[in-house]
Amino acid sequence: MFLAALLFPTIGSCSTNTDASSQVSVGIADFKFSSPDVHVPLGGSVVWKNNDSQPHTATSAGAFDAGAIEPGKTATAVFRTAGTFTYMCAFHPFMTGTVSVG
């Protein structure tokens, strides 16, 4: 997570310090993202919660990487740049989603 924040600080960074009013939650279960296509305002965040039995990621090449999200755990990305970012689980590339920011 720290590496993603260093490499891509203007698009999305992983954090636990966010404003709840601009936070969107995405569950992970049965090898699917529960709300694969979400919208957040600039500066908003997405929290992925892994309710599955296997680790997953939320990874967008060149934009953000939440790292391995172990079962029962969460990961958060804060979005500081407007745009549309397609993401996937690096372990299970058939799992995909989109974050629209702005």
Side-chain angles (χ1 to χ4, degrees):
M1 280 194 254
F2 182 70
L3 181 59
L6 287 176
L7 294 177
F8 313 113
T10 60
I11 296 174
S13 61
C14 296
S15 171
T16 57
N17 185 16
T18 61
D19 176 6
S21 65
S22 62
Q23 183 173 298
V24 173
S25 295
V26 175
I28 304 169
D30 300 322
F31 293 88
K32 293 183 271 191
F33 295 108
S34 64
S35 301
D37 302 312
V38 297
H39 181 270
V40 295
L42 196 59
S45 63
V46 177
V47 178
W48 289 271
K49 180 166 183 8
N50 186 355
N51 299 309
D52 225 336
S53 60
Q54 300 292 315
H56 295 288
T57 74
T59 305
S60 180
F64 66 90
D65 186 351
I69 310 166
E70 295 296 325
K73 302 292 184 183
T74 63
T76 303
V78 179
F79 294 88
R80 295 181 171 85
T81 300
T84 300
F85 306 97
T86 301
Y87 68 93
M88 66 177 209
C89 172
F91 302 136
H92 312 101
F94 57 88
M95 297 173 59
T96 61
T98 303
V99 178
S100 298
V101 181

